[in-house]
Amino acid sequence: EFEPLAPAMMQQILIEMHISDVVVDKRGGPLAMRRALREDLSNEILDKYALDRQTFLTHYKYYMEHPPLMNQIYQEITKHL
């Protein structure tokens, strides 16, 4: 049976990803450069949590398919951002 990432871990990953998006956007520069930087930062975050992109996306999809759980995660995220 599929065991999703703990909500607190998903929350922390998403917080870090949102922060990295802001950093990339503030830096500016050509779109291709921003995309590459965003991907590099995203990979660093996922590496920190010992996840590959596909595994993360599987867990993210689970939470997206369970809106009450995702809403709880984002309610917590908004308290931190």
Side-chain angles (χ1 to χ4, degrees), residues 13-28 34-43 45 53 60 74 81:
I13 293 168
L14 291 173
I15 287 171
E16 292 181 32
M17 288 190 169
H18 286 307
I19 291 170
S20 72
D21 284 345
V22 171
V23 168
V24 170
D25 290 342
K26 290 281 185 193
R27 244 180 149 185
R34 287 190 315 235
R35 279 189 186 140
L37 180 56
R38 186 171 275 116
E39 185 172 337
D40 288 347
L41 291 174
S42 175
N43 287 335
I45 292 165
R53 182 167 300 281
Y60 186 80
Y74 268 97
L81 294 179

Side-chain angles (χ1 to χ4, degrees), residues 38-78:
R38 186 171 275 116
E39 185 172 337
D40 288 347
L41 291 174
S42 175
N43 287 335
E44 285 180 28
I45 292 165
L46 294 177
D47 286 348
K48 176 179 170 182
Y49 293 94
L51 294 169
D52 61 56
R53 182 167 300 281
Q54 190 56 49
T55 301
F56 171 74
L57 291 174
T58 299
H59 291 278
Y60 186 80
K61 181 181 176 195
Y62 170 84
Y63 279 105
M64 291 299 289
E65 291 171 348
H66 297 85
L69 296 175
M70 188 59 106
N71 286 339
Q72 288 176 342
I73 288 171
Y74 268 97
Q75 285 175 1
E76 288 300 314
I77 288 173
T78 58

